[in-house]
Amino acid sequence: VWMSDHRSLLPAEAQRATAAAACASFLNRLADEEDGPCVPKGRGPRRDRYLGSTLPWVRGKLLEGLRMNLEESLAQAAAEASNNDDPSASATTSKKRPAVLSVIRRFRVLQACLSLLRDPSLFDPAVAIVADAIAAFPEDAIPALFADEDSIRSLLDLFVVRASDVGGGGRATPVARTRRLVSYLIVGAAGRGAFGSAVEKFGLRTKAIASICAACLAADEEGDDEPYHPGRGEEGTTFYDDVDVAHACLV
């Protein structure tokens, strides 16, 4: 109530970061579908209704709020990162860690999004948040995704996703782009010495090899090697759209 009455006293970035943190926190609380605090006890229609309709709907709303509150801050951070990479650009950006980065790390936003990708209705917004965060904070976000076993498993599982798994016809393009995103992440992690060591640490070598092989086959079957062209009204290609999956896997 106090924050509602005195919202004008808070900077806009702090407001967005607080809202994003709340959405991410609730998403994390809803992650456990077996013994979570909101899961009806026992087996029966109430539990089935919760898992089949209520939970996906709530997750969708939380993900929508998360993306809405992160979008502006991530876009600004990505632009600043691009300027920092440009030798001709003046060094005018602040060295202070952005509030949005603290939210992403503290509330494990990227890991939460990866865990939601098995739900076709949440596939696009979850991938969009991950891609935007990677574009804005590659040096922080990429190693964080390879810091625990669940995140690595989720990334490797994305390699074997087919268009039919996330909604059927007309879905090949976003699935192909997701595969390129994972390729980009693996190459980035390997370049930072995080991928190989993490795979060995968590005993995921066999799974990694199998997933990478499946990615190469899927890329060949679904035309992943074709250049991506944005559709009418869609934003232009992002930084990972030109990634060659097969080449990235070999790297």
Side-chain angles (χ1 to χ4, degrees), residues 112 179 189 208 219 247:
R179 202 175 292 125
H247 173 72

Side-chain angles (χ1 to χ4, degrees), residues 2-3 6-23 69-70 72-73 76 96-103 107:
W2 186 91
M3 287 183 61
H6 299 78
R7 185 171 297 177
S8 61
L9 300 179
L10 294 174
E13 183 184 12
Q15 293 181 34
R16 293 193 296 267
T18 302
C23 292
N69 285 285
L70 290 178
E72 183 176 343
S73 296
Q76 180 180 353
K96 183 180 178 181
R97 173 180 295 177
V100 64
L101 177 57
S102 298
V103 170
F107 294 94

Side-chain angles (χ1 to χ4, degrees), residues 9-208:
L9 300 179
L10 294 174
E13 183 184 12
Q15 293 181 34
R16 293 193 296 267
T18 302
C23 292
S25 180
F26 278 111
L27 281 173
N28 290 329
R29 292 288 289 170
L30 296 174
D32 187 351
E33 298 182 3
E34 293 296 328
D35 302 311
C38 299
V39 180
K41 303 300 181 183
R43 304 289 175 179
R46 288 185 65 240
R47 185 186 184 95
D48 294 340
R49 184 167 58 252
Y50 170 79
L51 295 176
S53 59
T54 305
L55 181 59
W57 185 85
V58 172
R59 280 174 168 169
K61 292 300 182 182
L62 290 172
L63 198 59
E64 179 182 343
L66 181 61
R67 184 180 183 184
M68 179 180 66
N69 285 285
L70 290 178
E71 192 171 27
E72 183 176 343
S73 296
L74 289 178
Q76 180 180 353
E80 292 177 354
S82 177
N83 290 335
N84 289 338
D85 290 338
D86 184 356
S88 64
S90 59
T92 58
T93 57
S94 173
K95 297 297 183 180
K96 183 180 178 181
R97 173 180 295 177
V100 64
L101 177 57
S102 298
V103 170
I104 289 172
R105 298 182 65 178
R106 170 67 178 82
F107 294 94
R108 296 172 57 84
V109 169
L110 302 185
Q111 289 83 350
C113 289
L114 288 176
S115 71
L116 297 176
L117 292 177
R118 62 184 182 275
D119 186 333
S121 65
L122 305 178
F123 190 85
D124 286 346
V127 166
I129 291 174
V130 174
D132 289 346
I134 294 300
F137 307 110
E139 296 301 324
D140 292 275
I142 292 179
L145 285 173
F146 293 86
D148 63 83
E149 183 176 352
D150 290 340
S151 296
I152 299 174
R153 285 185 178 276
S154 295
L155 285 171
L156 294 176
D157 287 341
L158 286 179
F159 255 159
V160 298
V161 170
R162 298 299 184 100
S164 58
D165 297 331
V166 289
R171 301 286 302 176
T173 294
V175 171
R177 297 185 76 193
T178 300
R179 202 175 292 125
R180 291 173 186 166
L181 172 59
V182 177
S183 300
Y184 178 91
L185 294 175
I186 289 179
V187 170
R192 295 168 174 80
F195 181 63
S197 58
V199 166
E200 293 295 336
K201 176 182 178 181
F202 298 114
L204 297 175
R205 181 179 178 83
T206 300
K207 181 177 179 63

Side-chain angles (χ1 to χ4, degrees), residues 212-238:
I212 288 173
C213 291
C216 291
L217 292 174
D220 182 62
E221 293 176 6
E222 297 183 352
D224 193 70
D225 57 339
E226 295 295 325
Y228 170 72
H229 300 288
R232 183 176 181 180
E234 186 178 0
E235 293 182 3
T237 58
T238 50

